[in-house]
Structure formats: structure tokens, C-alpha cells
Coordinates of all heavy atoms in Angstrom, one line a residue:
M468 N 189.6 159.7 220.2 CA 189.2 160.0 218.7 C 189.0 161.6 218.5 O 189.5 162.1 217.4 CB 187.9 159.2 218.2 CG 187.7 159.3 216.9 SD 188.8 158.4 216.0 CE 188.2 158.6 214.3
G469 N 188.3 162.2 219.4 CA 188.0 163.6 219.2 C 189.4 164.5 219.3 O 189.5 165.5 218.6
F470 N 190.3 164.0 220.1 CA 191.5 164.7 220.3 C 192.2 164.7 219.0 O 192.9 165.6 218.6 CB 192.2 164.2 221.5 CG 193.6 164.9 221.8 CD1 193.6 166.3 222.1 CD2 194.7 164.3 221.4 CE1 194.8 166.9 222.4 CE2 195.9 164.8 221.8 CZ 196.1 166.2 222.2
V471 N 192.4 163.4 218.5 CA 193.2 163.2 217.3 C 192.6 164.0 216.2 O 193.3 164.6 215.4 CB 193.2 161.7 217.0 CG1 193.8 161.4 215.6 CG2 194.0 160.9 218.1
L472 N 191.3 164.0 216.0 CA 190.6 164.8 214.9 C 190.8 166.3 215.1 O 191.2 167.0 214.0 CB 189.2 164.5 214.9 CG 188.7 163.3 214.3 CD1 187.1 163.0 214.5 CD2 188.9 163.1 212.8
S473 N 190.9 166.8 216.2 CA 191.2 168.2 216.6 C 192.7 168.5 216.2 O 192.9 169.6 215.6 CB 191.0 168.5 218.0 OG 189.6 168.4 218.4
I474 N 193.5 167.7 216.5 CA 195.0 167.9 216.1 C 195.1 167.8 214.6 O 195.8 168.6 214.0 CB 195.9 166.8 216.8 CG1 195.9 166.8 218.1 CG2 197.3 166.9 216.1 CD1 196.4 168.1 218.9
V475 N 194.4 166.9 213.9 CA 194.6 166.8 212.4 C 193.9 168.0 211.8 O 194.6 168.6 210.8 CB 193.7 165.5 211.9 CG1 193.6 165.6 210.5 CG2 194.6 164.3 212.3
L476 N 192.8 168.5 212.4 CA 192.2 169.7 211.8 C 193.1 170.9 211.9 O 193.2 171.8 211.1 CB 190.8 169.9 212.2 CG 189.8 169.0 211.9 CD1 188.5 169.1 212.5 CD2 189.5 169.0 210.4
T477 N 193.7 171.0 213.1 CA 194.7 172.1 213.3 C 195.9 172.1 212.4 O 196.3 173.1 211.9 CB 195.1 172.2 214.7 OG1 194.0 172.2 215.7 CG2 196.1 173.2 215.1
L478 N 196.4 171.0 212.2 CA 197.5 170.7 211.3 C 197.1 171.1 209.9 O 197.9 171.7 209.1 CB 198.1 169.3 211.4 CG 198.8 169.1 212.7 CD1 199.3 167.6 212.7 CD2 200.0 170.0 212.9
L479 N 195.9 170.6 209.4 CA 195.4 171.0 208.1 C 195.3 172.4 207.9 O 195.7 173.1 206.9 CB 194.1 170.4 207.8 CG 194.2 168.9 207.5 CD1 192.6 168.2 207.3 CD2 194.9 168.6 206.2
A480 N 194.8 173.2 208.9 CA 194.7 174.6 208.9 C 196.1 175.3 208.7 O 196.4 176.3 208.0 CB 194.0 175.2 210.1
A481 N 197.1 174.8 209.6 CA 198.4 175.3 209.5 C 199.1 175.1 208.2 O 199.8 176.0 207.7 CB 199.3 174.7 210.6
V482 N 198.9 173.9 207.6 CA 199.5 173.6 206.2 C 198.8 174.6 205.2 O 199.5 175.0 204.3 CB 199.4 172.2 205.9 CG1 199.6 171.9 204.4 CG2 200.2 171.3 206.8
A483 N 197.6 174.8 205.3 CA 196.9 175.5 204.4 C 197.4 177.1 204.4 O 197.5 177.9 203.3 CB 195.4 175.6 204.5
A484 N 197.7 177.5 205.7 CA 198.2 178.9 205.9 C 199.5 179.1 205.2 O 199.7 180.3 204.7 CB 198.3 179.2 207.3
Y485 N 200.4 178.1 205.0 CA 201.7 178.3 204.3 C 201.7 177.8 202.9 O 202.6 177.7 202.3 CB 202.8 177.6 205.2 CG 203.0 178.2 206.6 CD1 202.5 177.7 207.7 CD2 203.6 179.5 206.5 CE1 202.7 178.4 208.9 CE2 203.8 180.3 207.8 CZ 203.3 179.7 209.0 OH 203.5 180.2 210.1
S486 N 200.4 177.4 202.4 CA 200.4 176.9 201.0 C 200.4 178.1 200.1 O 200.4 179.3 200.4 CB 199.2 176.1 200.8 OG 197.9 177.0 200.9
G487 N 200.5 178.0 198.8 CA 200.6 178.9 197.8 C 199.2 179.4 197.3 O 199.2 180.0 196.2
L488 N 198.2 178.9 198.0 CA 196.8 179.4 197.6 C 196.6 180.9 197.8 O 197.2 181.6 198.6 CB 195.7 178.6 198.2 CG 195.9 177.0 198.0 CD1 194.9 176.3 198.9 CD2 195.6 176.8 196.6
S489 N 195.5 181.3 197.2 CA 195.2 182.9 197.5 C 194.7 183.0 198.9 O 194.3 182.2 199.5 CB 194.1 183.2 196.4 OG 192.9 182.8 196.9
V490 N 194.8 184.3 199.3 CA 194.5 184.5 200.8 C 193.0 184.3 201.0 O 192.7 183.8 202.1 CB 194.8 186.1 201.1 CG1 194.3 186.4 202.5 CG2 196.3 186.3 200.8
N491 N 192.1 184.6 200.1 CA 190.7 184.3 200.3 C 190.4 182.8 200.5 O 189.7 182.4 201.3 CB 189.9 184.9 199.3 CG 189.9 186.4 199.1 OD1 190.1 187.0 200.3 ND2 189.6 186.9 198.0
I492 N 191.0 182.0 199.7 CA 190.7 180.6 199.8 C 191.4 180.1 201.1 O 190.7 179.2 201.8 CB 191.5 179.8 198.5 CG1 190.7 180.2 197.4 CG2 191.4 178.3 198.8 CD1 191.3 179.6 196.1
I493 N 192.6 180.5 201.6 CA 193.1 180.1 202.9 C 192.2 180.5 204.0 O 191.9 179.7 204.8 CB 194.6 180.7 203.1 CG1 195.5 180.1 201.9 CG2 195.0 180.6 204.4 CD1 196.8 180.8 201.9
L494 N 191.7 181.8 204.0 CA 190.8 182.2 205.0 C 189.5 181.3 205.1 O 189.1 180.9 206.1 CB 190.5 183.6 204.9 CG 191.5 184.7 205.3 CD1 191.0 186.1 204.9 CD2 192.0 184.5 206.7
V495 N 188.9 181.1 204.0 CA 187.6 180.3 204.0 C 188.0 178.8 204.4 O 187.3 178.3 205.4 CB 187.1 180.1 202.5 CG1 186.1 179.0 202.5 CG2 186.6 181.5 202.1
F496 N 189.1 178.3 204.0 CA 189.5 177.1 204.6 C 189.8 176.9 206.1 O 189.3 176.0 206.8 CB 190.7 176.5 203.7 CG 191.2 175.1 204.1 CD1 190.4 173.9 203.6 CD2 192.2 174.8 204.9 CE1 190.7 172.7 203.9 CE2 192.6 173.5 205.3 CZ 191.9 172.5 204.8
I497 N 190.5 177.9 206.6 CA 190.7 178.0 208.0 C 189.4 178.2 208.9 O 189.3 177.5 209.8 CB 191.8 179.1 208.3 CG1 193.1 178.6 207.8 CG2 191.7 179.3 209.8 CD1 194.2 179.7 208.0
F498 N 188.6 178.9 208.3 CA 187.2 179.2 208.9 C 186.4 177.9 209.0 O 185.8 177.5 210.1 CB 186.5 180.2 208.3 CG 186.8 181.6 208.8 CD1 187.2 182.6 207.9 CD2 186.9 182.0 210.2 CE1 187.5 183.8 208.2 CE2 187.2 183.3 210.6 CZ 187.5 184.2 209.6
I499 N 186.5 177.2 207.9 CA 185.7 175.9 207.7 C 186.3 174.9 208.8 O 185.6 174.2 209.5 CB 185.8 175.3 206.4 CG1 184.8 176.3 205.5 CG2 185.2 173.9 206.3 CD1 184.9 175.9 204.0
M500 N 187.6 174.8 208.8 CA 188.3 173.9 209.8 C 188.0 174.3 211.2 O 187.7 173.4 212.0 CB 189.8 173.9 209.5 CG 190.2 173.2 208.2 SD 189.9 171.5 208.0 CE 188.5 171.5 206.9
A501 N 188.0 175.5 211.5 CA 187.7 176.0 212.9 C 186.3 175.6 213.3 O 186.0 175.1 214.4 CB 187.9 177.5 212.9
F502 N 185.3 175.8 212.4 CA 183.9 175.5 212.9 C 183.8 173.8 212.9 O 182.9 173.4 213.7 CB 182.8 176.1 211.8 CG 182.8 177.5 212.1 CD1 183.1 178.6 211.1 CD2 182.1 178.0 213.2 CE1 183.0 179.8 211.4 CE2 181.9 179.4 213.4 CZ 182.5 180.3 212.5
V503 N 184.3 173.2 212.0 CA 184.3 171.8 212.2 C 184.8 171.3 213.4 O 184.4 170.3 214.2 CB 184.9 171.0 210.8 CG1 185.1 169.6 211.1 CG2 184.1 171.3 209.7
Q504 N 186.1 171.8 213.7 CA 186.7 171.4 214.9 C 185.9 171.8 216.2 O 185.8 171.1 217.2 CB 188.1 172.2 215.1 CG 188.9 171.7 216.4 CD 190.3 172.1 216.3 OE1 190.7 172.9 215.4 NE2 191.0 172.0 217.4
A505 N 185.3 173.0 216.1 CA 184.4 173.4 217.3 C 183.2 172.4 217.5 O 182.8 172.0 218.5 CB 183.8 174.8 217.1
G506 N 182.7 172.0 216.3 CA 181.6 171.0 216.4 C 182.0 169.7 217.0 O 181.3 169.0 217.8
I507 N 183.2 169.2 216.5 CA 183.8 167.9 217.1 C 184.0 168.1 218.5 O 183.6 167.2 219.3 CB 185.0 167.7 216.3 CG1 184.7 167.1 214.9 CG2 185.8 166.5 217.0 CD1 186.0 166.9 214.1
Q508 N 184.5 169.1 218.9 CA 184.8 169.3 220.4 C 183.4 169.3 221.3 O 183.3 168.8 222.4 CB 185.6 170.7 220.6 CG 187.0 170.4 220.2 CD 187.8 171.6 220.4 OE1 187.4 172.6 221.0 NE2 189.1 171.6 220.0
L509 N 182.5 170.0 220.6 CA 181.2 170.0 221.3 C 180.5 168.7 221.5 O 180.1 168.4 222.5 CB 180.1 171.0 220.6 CG 180.3 172.4 220.8 CD1 179.4 173.2 219.8 CD2 179.9 172.8 222.3
F510 N 180.6 167.9 220.5 CA 180.0 166.6 220.5 C 180.9 165.5 221.3 O 180.4 164.8 222.1 CB 179.6 166.0 219.1 CG 178.5 166.6 218.6 CD1 178.5 167.7 217.6 CD2 177.2 166.4 219.1 CE1 177.4 168.3 217.1 CE2 176.1 167.0 218.5 CZ 176.2 168.0 217.5
M511 N 182.1 165.6 221.1 CA 183.0 164.7 221.8 C 183.3 165.0 223.3 O 183.3 164.0 224.1 CB 184.4 164.6 221.0 CG 184.3 164.1 219.6 SD 184.1 162.2 219.7 CE 184.3 161.8 217.9
F512 N 183.6 166.3 223.6 CA 184.0 166.7 224.8 C 183.0 167.3 225.8 O 183.0 167.1 226.9 CB 185.2 167.5 224.7 CG 186.3 167.0 224.0 CD1 187.0 167.9 223.0 CD2 186.9 165.8 224.3 CE1 188.1 167.4 222.2 CE2 188.0 165.3 223.6 CZ 188.5 166.1 222.6
M513 N 182.0 167.9 225.1 CA 181.0 168.6 226.0 C 179.8 167.8 226.0 O 178.7 168.2 226.5 CB 180.6 170.0 225.3 CG 181.9 170.9 225.2 SD 182.7 171.2 226.7 CE 181.6 172.3 227.5
H514 N 179.7 166.6 225.4 CA 178.5 165.6 225.4 C 177.2 166.4 224.9 O 176.2 166.2 225.7 CB 178.4 165.1 226.8 CG 179.8 164.4 227.2 ND1 180.3 163.3 226.7 CD2 180.7 164.9 228.1 CE1 181.3 163.0 227.4 NE2 181.7 164.0 228.3
V515 N 177.2 167.1 224.0 CA 175.9 167.7 223.5 C 175.0 166.7 223.0 O 173.8 166.9 223.1 CB 176.4 168.7 222.3 CG1 175.1 169.2 221.6 CG2 177.1 169.9 222.8
N516 N 175.4 165.5 222.6 CA 174.5 164.6 222.1 C 173.7 163.8 223.2 O 173.0 162.8 222.8 CB 175.1 163.7 221.1 CG 176.3 163.0 221.7 OD1 176.7 163.3 222.8 ND2 177.0 162.1 220.9
E517 N 174.0 164.0 224.4 CA 173.3 163.2 225.5 C 171.9 163.6 225.5 O 171.4 164.7 225.1 CB 174.0 163.5 226.7 CG 175.4 162.9 226.8 CD 175.9 163.0 228.3 OE1 175.3 163.7 229.1 OE2 177.2 162.6 228.4
E518 N 170.9 162.8 225.9 CA 169.6 163.0 225.9 C 169.0 163.7 227.0 O 167.8 164.1 227.0 CB 168.9 161.6 225.6 CG 169.1 161.0 224.4 CD 168.4 159.7 224.2 OE1 167.5 159.3 225.0 OE2 168.8 159.0 223.3
D519 N 169.8 164.0 228.0 CA 169.3 164.7 229.3 C 169.1 166.2 228.8 O 170.1 166.8 228.3 CB 170.1 164.4 230.4 CG 170.2 163.0 230.9 OD1 169.2 162.3 230.6 OD2 171.2 162.6 231.4
A520 N 168.0 166.7 229.1 CA 167.8 168.2 229.0 C 168.1 168.7 227.5 O 169.0 169.5 227.4 CB 168.6 168.9 230.0
D521 N 167.5 168.0 226.7 CA 167.7 168.4 225.2 C 167.5 169.9 224.9 O 168.3 170.6 224.2 CB 166.8 167.6 224.3 CG 167.4 166.2 224.2 OD1 168.4 165.9 224.5 OD2 166.5 165.2 223.9
H522 N 166.4 170.5 225.4 CA 166.1 171.9 225.1 C 167.1 172.7 225.7 O 167.6 173.8 225.1 CB 164.7 172.2 225.7 CG 163.6 171.4 224.9 ND1 163.4 171.5 223.6 CD2 162.7 170.5 225.4 CE1 162.4 170.7 223.2 NE2 161.9 170.1 224.3
T523 N 167.6 172.4 226.9 CA 168.6 173.3 227.5 C 169.9 173.3 226.8 O 170.5 174.3 226.5 CB 168.9 172.8 229.0 OG1 167.7 172.9 229.6 CG2 169.9 173.8 229.7
Q524 N 170.3 172.0 226.3 CA 171.5 171.9 225.5 C 171.4 172.7 224.3 O 172.4 173.3 223.7 CB 171.9 170.5 225.3 CG 172.4 169.9 226.6 CD 172.9 168.5 226.4 OE1 172.6 167.8 225.3 NE2 173.6 167.8 227.3
L525 N 170.3 172.6 223.5 CA 170.1 173.3 222.3 C 170.2 174.8 222.5 O 170.9 175.4 221.7 CB 168.7 173.0 221.7 CG 168.3 173.6 220.4 CD1 169.4 173.1 219.3 CD2 167.0 173.3 219.9
G526 N 169.4 175.3 223.5 CA 169.6 176.7 223.7 C 171.1 177.1 224.1 O 171.5 178.1 223.6
N527 N 171.7 176.4 224.9 CA 173.2 176.6 225.2 C 174.0 176.6 223.9 O 175.0 177.4 223.8 CB 173.7 175.8 226.3 CG 173.1 176.0 227.6 OD1 172.6 177.0 227.9 ND2 173.1 174.9 228.5
F528 N 173.8 175.6 223.1 CA 174.6 175.5 221.8 C 174.3 176.7 220.9 O 175.3 177.2 220.4 CB 174.1 174.2 221.2 CG 174.9 174.0 219.8 CD1 176.3 173.7 219.7 CD2 174.2 174.3 218.6 CE1 177.0 173.5 218.5 CE2 174.8 174.1 217.4 CZ 176.0 173.7 217.4
L529 N 173.1 177.2 220.8 CA 172.8 178.3 219.9 C 173.4 179.5 220.5 O 173.9 180.4 219.7 CB 171.2 178.5 219.7 CG 170.5 177.3 219.0 CD1 169.0 177.5 218.8 CD2 171.1 177.3 217.5
F530 N 173.3 179.7 221.8 CA 173.9 180.9 222.5 C 175.4 180.9 222.2 O 176.1 181.9 221.7 CB 173.6 181.0 223.8 CG 174.3 182.1 224.5 CD1 173.8 183.3 224.4 CD2 175.3 181.9 225.4 CE1 174.5 184.4 225.1 CE2 176.0 183.0 226.1 CZ 175.5 184.1 225.9
A531 N 176.1 179.7 222.4 CA 177.6 179.6 222.1 C 177.9 179.9 220.7 O 178.9 180.5 220.4 CB 178.0 178.2 222.7
A532 N 177.1 179.3 219.9 CA 177.4 179.5 218.4 C 177.3 181.0 218.0 O 178.1 181.4 217.2 CB 176.3 178.7 217.6
V533 N 176.3 181.7 218.5 CA 176.1 183.1 218.2 C 177.2 183.9 218.8 O 178.0 184.8 218.0 CB 174.8 183.5 218.8 CG1 174.8 185.1 218.7 CG2 173.7 183.1 217.8
I534 N 177.7 183.6 220.0 CA 178.8 184.3 220.7 C 180.1 184.0 219.8 O 180.9 185.0 219.5 CB 179.0 183.9 222.1 CG1 177.8 184.4 222.9 CG2 180.2 184.4 222.7 CD1 177.4 185.9 222.8
A535 N 180.3 182.8 219.5 CA 181.5 182.4 218.7 C 181.6 183.1 217.3 O 182.7 183.5 217.0 CB 181.6 181.0 218.5
V536 N 180.4 183.1 216.6 CA 180.4 183.8 215.3 C 180.7 185.3 215.5 O 181.5 185.8 214.7 CB 179.1 183.6 214.6 CG1 179.0 184.6 213.4 CG2 179.0 182.1 214.2
I537 N 180.1 185.9 216.5 CA 180.5 187.3 216.8 C 181.9 187.5 217.1 O 182.4 188.5 216.6 CB 179.5 187.9 217.9 CG1 178.1 187.9 217.5 CG2 180.0 189.2 218.5 CD1 177.1 188.2 218.5
I538 N 182.5 186.7 217.9 CA 183.9 186.9 218.2 C 184.8 186.6 217.1 O 185.7 187.4 216.8 CB 184.2 185.9 219.4 CG1 183.6 186.3 220.6 CG2 185.8 185.7 219.5 CD1 183.8 185.3 221.8
V539 N 184.5 185.7 216.3 CA 185.4 185.4 215.1 C 185.3 186.5 214.0 O 186.3 187.0 213.5 CB 185.0 184.0 214.5 CG1 185.7 183.9 213.1 CG2 185.3 182.9 215.4
I540 N 184.0 186.9 213.7 CA 183.9 187.8 212.6 C 184.3 189.2 213.3 O 184.9 190.0 212.5 CB 182.4 188.0 212.2 CG1 182.0 186.6 211.4 CG2 182.0 189.2 211.5 CD1 180.5 186.7 211.1
G541 N 184.1 189.6 214.5 CA 184.6 190.8 215.1 C 186.0 190.8 215.1 O 186.7 191.9 214.9
S542 N 186.7 189.7 215.5 CA 188.2 189.7 215.5 C 188.7 190.0 214.1 O 189.7 190.6 213.9 CB 188.8 188.4 216.0 OG 188.2 188.3 217.4
Y543 N 188.2 189.3 213.1 CA 188.5 189.4 211.8 C 188.4 190.9 211.2 O 189.3 191.5 210.7 CB 187.9 188.4 210.8 CG 188.2 188.6 209.4 CD1 189.5 188.2 208.9 CD2 187.4 189.2 208.5 CE1 189.9 188.2 207.6 CE2 187.8 189.3 207.2 CZ 189.0 188.9 206.8 OH 189.4 189.0 205.5
W544 N 187.3 191.4 211.6 CA 187.1 192.9 211.2 C 188.0 193.9 211.9 O 188.5 194.7 211.1 CB 185.6 193.2 211.6 CG 185.3 194.6 211.4 CD1 185.1 195.1 210.0 CD2 185.1 195.7 212.2 NE1 184.7 196.5 210.2 CE2 184.7 196.8 211.5 CE3 185.1 195.7 213.7 CZ2 184.5 198.0 212.1 CZ3 185.0 196.9 214.3 CH2 184.6 198.0 213.6
V545 N 188.3 193.7 213.2 CA 189.2 194.5 213.8 C 190.6 194.3 213.2 O 191.3 195.3 212.9 CB 189.4 194.2 215.3 CG1 190.5 194.8 216.0 CG2 188.1 194.6 216.0
M546 N 191.1 193.1 212.9 CA 192.4 192.9 212.3 C 192.4 193.5 210.9 O 193.4 194.2 210.5 CB 192.7 191.5 212.3 CG 193.1 190.8 213.6 SD 193.6 189.2 213.6 CE 192.1 188.3 213.3
E547 N 191.4 193.2 210.0 CA 191.3 194.0 208.8 C 191.4 195.6 208.9 O 192.1 196.2 208.1 CB 190.1 193.6 208.1 CG 190.1 192.4 207.4 CD 191.2 192.4 206.2 OE1 191.3 193.3 205.4 OE2 192.1 191.4 206.1
M548 N 190.7 196.1 209.8 CA 190.6 197.5 210.0 C 192.0 198.1 210.3 O 192.4 199.1 209.9 CB 189.5 198.0 210.9 CG 188.2 197.8 210.4 SD 187.8 198.9 208.8 CE 187.6 197.5 207.7
A549 N 192.6 197.3 211.3 CA 194.1 197.8 211.8 C 195.1 197.8 210.6 O 195.8 198.5 210.4 CB 194.4 196.9 212.9
H550 N 194.9 196.5 209.9 CA 195.8 196.4 208.6 C 195.5 197.4 207.6 O 196.4 198.1 207.1 CB 195.6 195.0 208.0 CG 196.5 194.7 206.9 ND1 197.8 194.6 207.0 CD2 196.1 194.6 205.6 CE1 198.3 194.3 205.9 NE2 197.4 194.4 205.0
A551 N 194.3 197.8 207.4 CA 194.0 198.8 206.5 C 194.4 200.2 206.8 O 194.9 201.0 206.0 CB 192.4 198.9 206.0
N552 N 194.2 200.5 208.0 CA 194.6 201.8 208.6 C 196.2 201.9 208.5 O 196.8 202.9 208.5 CB 194.0 202.0 209.9 CG 192.5 202.3 209.8 OD1 192.1 202.8 208.8 ND2 191.8 202.0 210.9
H553 N 196.8 200.8 208.9 CA 198.3 200.9 208.8 C 198.9 201.1 207.6 O 199.9 201.7 207.4 CB 198.8 199.5 209.4 CG 200.3 199.4 209.6 ND1 200.9 200.2 210.5 CD2 201.2 198.7 208.9 CE1 202.3 200.0 210.3 NE2 202.4 198.9 209.4
L554 N 198.2 200.6 206.5 CA 198.7 200.8 205.2 C 198.5 202.3 204.6 O 199.1 202.6 203.6 CB 198.2 199.9 204.2 CG 198.6 198.4 204.4 CD1 197.9 197.5 203.5 CD2 200.0 198.2 204.4
M555 N 197.7 203.0 205.2 CA 197.3 204.3 204.7 C 198.4 205.3 204.9 O 199.1 205.5 205.7 CB 196.1 204.9 205.4 CG 194.8 204.1 205.0 SD 194.3 204.4 203.3 CE 193.0 203.5 203.0

């Protein structure tokens, strides 16, 4: 079930990328799909919802979420800056 949901969310993001919507709406939609897919993978494949060591899993989840947000926002920022400097 988790694998099928991941494939569906990836396809939705790909379809949105080639739609006629504005760039801002496409970016927001892709980011939302990425975070939903990450959550599904954490619960389905990484067994975050198991009751053993709840505090450890919560700490690991928060650390992973912070690192993921930094990577995503940092990557977007680097690509935006490269694109802006290329156009100058």
C-alpha cells in the first residue's frame, strides 16, 4: 500500500510539473506531495508508529525532519541563486 501511494504521489507531482499552472502553485504542490510522501514512507517503511522506544523514534524523526527541511530549502535556494545569477 505504501509503495503504491508513493508511486501515485510521484506521478501527481510529475503531472503538476507539466500542467499549465503558475510556477508558484506548481512548486507548492510539489513540496506538499514530497512531504506527504516522506511521511508515508516513514510510517509504512520505517515503522515509526511502533511502540518500542517512542522517545527515541520521536527524536530521530524530528532530527530527520529538520535535516530534510534544511536540504530541501537549501537546494531550492542554491538553484534560485544560480538561476538568478545566470540571467544577469
Side-chain angles (χ1 to χ4, degrees):
M468 186 67 178
F470 180 70
V471 171
L472 284 173
S473 295
I474 296 294
V475 168
L476 291 172
T477 301
L478 290 175
L479 284 174
V482 168
Y485 294 105
S486 68
L488 300 172
S489 71
V490 175
N491 291 335
I492 293 174
I493 292 172
L494 284 175
V495 168
F496 184 76
I497 289 175
F498 278 122
I499 290 171
M500 292 295 107
F502 284 111
V503 169
Q504 185 172 357
I507 288 172
Q508 289 179 2
L509 279 171
F510 286 104
M511 294 284 193
F512 302 130
M513 302 302 284
H514 306 289
V515 171
N516 57 351
E517 290 181 359
E518 294 182 15
D519 297 338
D521 286 338
H522 298 300
T523 304
Q524 286 184 351
L525 178 62
N527 290 342
F528 176 74
L529 291 175
F530 177 73
V533 167
I534 295 299
V536 167
I537 290 171
I538 289 172
V539 168
I540 291 174
S542 298
Y543 178 72
W544 178 70
V545 167
M546 288 186 284
E547 272 298 312
M548 290 298 111
H550 181 69
N552 289 334
H553 181 65
L554 293 177
M555 294 289 180

